Amino acid sequence: MPDLVARGVDVRFGETAALTSLDLEAGAGSILALVGPSGSGKSTFLRAVAGFERPTSGTIRVGDRHLFGDGVNLPPEQRGLSMVFQHHAVWPHMSVRDNVAYPLKRAGVPAAQRRERVAEALETVELGHLAGRRPDTLSGGQRQRVALARAIVARPGVLLLDEALSALDEPLRASLRLVLRRLSAEQGLTMIHVTHDRDEALAIGDRVAVLNRGRLMQCAEPEILDSHPGSAFVAGFLHDATLITGRVDADGFRSADGGISLGGDRLVAPAGAVEGPATLALVPGGLALANPGAAPDRIGAEFLTSLYGRSERTVICRRGELEFRIPAPPGGATPTVVGESVGIDVTRGFVYPHS
Ligand code: ADP
Ligand code: MG
């Protein structure tokens, strides 16, 4: 299976820069998850790759084939890609089998070979037993599997998924995540999976690219995004970090209002050494509940509410405008009275220089 490499891609809509100098790669046979807030340019990137949007500059290639750039601009049907959207576009008047066979029929694949490949694609998405049914008798999740089978049956070089799971409810969505991972592992399919859902991006992507306002913020393995978010934006967007502006000097971090300080030994600087104006990003994993009393590296706050989670509760506290999310291990006491004073011990905070 080929890799996909995009370099310096710019897409403009009139005055709006939808993508700016975007460099992205999906390794051969791997899944690149693309995540970012609404309007960050995720769909525009997929559309540029598919040939529906024309970049003003940049190059896009799949394996050794140039799709765009250096004087080349292949039409969508010659790019050898498949795309799946949020809302399945399956034909209600055709059987599941005929829906999936359609791309092969158009490509002139002989009937015997067609039957074999349709059966194989339906097995892959676990729909073999429903081949004779009409899509309008299926559930939304099953119809989305039909769309997926139709997208892979022609063996595309790269599969592009634009919020393909976003309209599905859990646990259907979780089971489709597994289907995508299996597709990648068993068939070595190269995929770009666009989603606005952070957990989904981290769960599915071999690598995860974070976009904001048409620019790439970071692209890395999920573990790296957890341990070294590359900017305050990534820490805030992916990890619900509390962002605090201030400065870093020899003693550590001090907030602009002087109310929060953190010793230098607690600071991690993923974007390089920091001195001077900085943003402190406090991710839940670096916070622990403590007594309200004053202590070094402790923040005083008020209890707001808490959320249940399978592995731990998350306690939400506030200090002025700032909101903190603190994991509370099972069995530990959590505050219950709204407005109650709590202490937050900071074991680790990310700092980023102001550019
Ligand atoms: P996402 O998929 O991340 O939500 P999009 O790629 O759809 O974001 O959009 C990126 C930006 O480009 C947004 O500001 C959006 O309003 C703009 N945009 C997208 N398509 C068009 C278009 N056809 N005409 C004008 N602006 C567009
Ligand atoms: Mg979109």
Side-chain angles (χ1 to χ4, degrees):
M1 283 298 156
D3 59 346
L4 180 142
V5 179
R7 289 273 172 262
V9 173
D10 284 295
V11 175
R12 305 191 63 86
F13 295 108
E15 292 294 287
T16 313
L19 296 177
T20 306
S21 315
L22 197 61
D23 292 327
L24 273 180
E25 289 173 33
S30 79
I31 305 181
L32 173 70
L34 201 53
V35 68
S38 172
S40 55
K42 306 181 296 294
S43 295
T44 301
F45 178 70
L46 282 198
R47 292 173 56 78
V49 171
F52 301 128
E53 226 58 85
R54 192 194 171 112
T56 49
S57 56
T59 58
I60 302 171
R61 69 162 177 81
V62 167
D64 52 14
R65 285 182 79 216
H66 278 272
L67 306 186
F68 181 84
D70 300 331
V72 175
N73 184 18
L74 290 187
E77 64 276 11
Q78 286 177 22
R79 295 195 175 198
L81 312 170
S82 263
M83 200 151 164
V84 180
F85 300 93
Q86 179 164 358
H87 294 286
H88 43 76
V90 294
W91 292 292
H93 58 284
M94 286 185 194
S95 69
V96 165
R97 185 184 289 117
D98 289 345
N99 261 284
V100 177
Y102 186 78
L104 299 180
K105 217 168 173 175
R106 265 189 50 171
V109 175
Q113 207 179 332
R114 220 156 60 206
R115 267 196 300 279
E116 201 174 300
R117 280 174 55 184
V118 168
E120 192 186 60
L122 285 174
E123 278 314 313
T124 304
V125 300
E126 295 161 4
L127 275 188
H129 58 300
L130 298 178
R133 289 269 286 271
R134 278 171 47 144
D136 51 7
T137 67
L138 303 178
S139 71
Q142 289 169 332
R143 281 200 293 266
Q144 197 63 328
R145 285 173 195 248
V146 177
L148 197 56
R150 198 175 58 193
I152 60 173
V153 75
R155 301 190 179 142
V158 179
L159 178 61
L160 308 173
L161 303 145
D162 193 356
E163 305 274 5
L165 311 187
S166 300
L168 304 176
D169 295 328
E170 297 285 5
L172 264 181
R173 198 162 164 175
S175 74
L176 266 266
R177 288 177 185 175
L178 286 184
V179 169
L180 293 183
R181 291 289 308 171
R182 263 194 29 232
L183 254 180
S184 160
E186 289 171 8
Q187 308 202 355
L189 200 56
T190 307
M191 285 186 228
I192 305 182
H193 177 70
V194 159
T195 175
H196 63 277
D197 182 321
R198 311 170 291 180
D199 294 334
E200 183 168 299
L202 293 167
I204 290 186
D206 292 301
R207 288 171 69 81
V208 179
V210 183
L211 285 195
N212 188 35
R213 299 177 180 208
R215 291 175 189 271
L216 179 64
M217 298 284 107
Q218 190 172 10
C219 183
E221 291 80 23
E223 295 83 358
I224 302 291
L225 289 167
D226 268 341
S227 63
H228 287 81
S231 64
F233 172 83
V234 173
F237 179 73
L238 282 188
H239 307 300
D240 288 322
T242 307
L243 304 181
I244 304 165
T245 54
R247 325 183 32 90
V248 172
D249 62 22
D251 296 330
F253 175 88
R254 182 178 273 273
S255 65
D257 66 4
I260 293 174
S261 52
L262 195 59
D265 58 330
R266 307 284 157 124
L267 300 180
V268 178
V274 186
E275 208 182 327
T279 296
L280 174 67
L282 297 177
V283 296
L287 303 178
L289 281 175
N291 295 323
D297 302 322
R298 182 170 295 173
I299 298 171
E302 282 182 1
F303 173 70
L304 213 56
T305 187
S306 73
L307 299 169
Y308 174 78
R310 285 213 178 85
S311 52
E312 60 204 6
R313 270 194 106 77
T314 300
V315 172
I316 322 287
C317 296
R318 181 183 283 167
R319 176 193 172 94
E321 301 277 277
L322 299 174
E323 209 170 272
F324 299 87
R325 302 170 79 85
I326 308 124
T334 56
T336 50
V337 182
V338 176
E340 187 179 335
S341 292
V342 293
I344 305 169
D345 276 347
V346 182
T347 54
R348 178 173 55 110
F350 297 116
V351 275
Y352 304 95
H354 288 178
S355 49

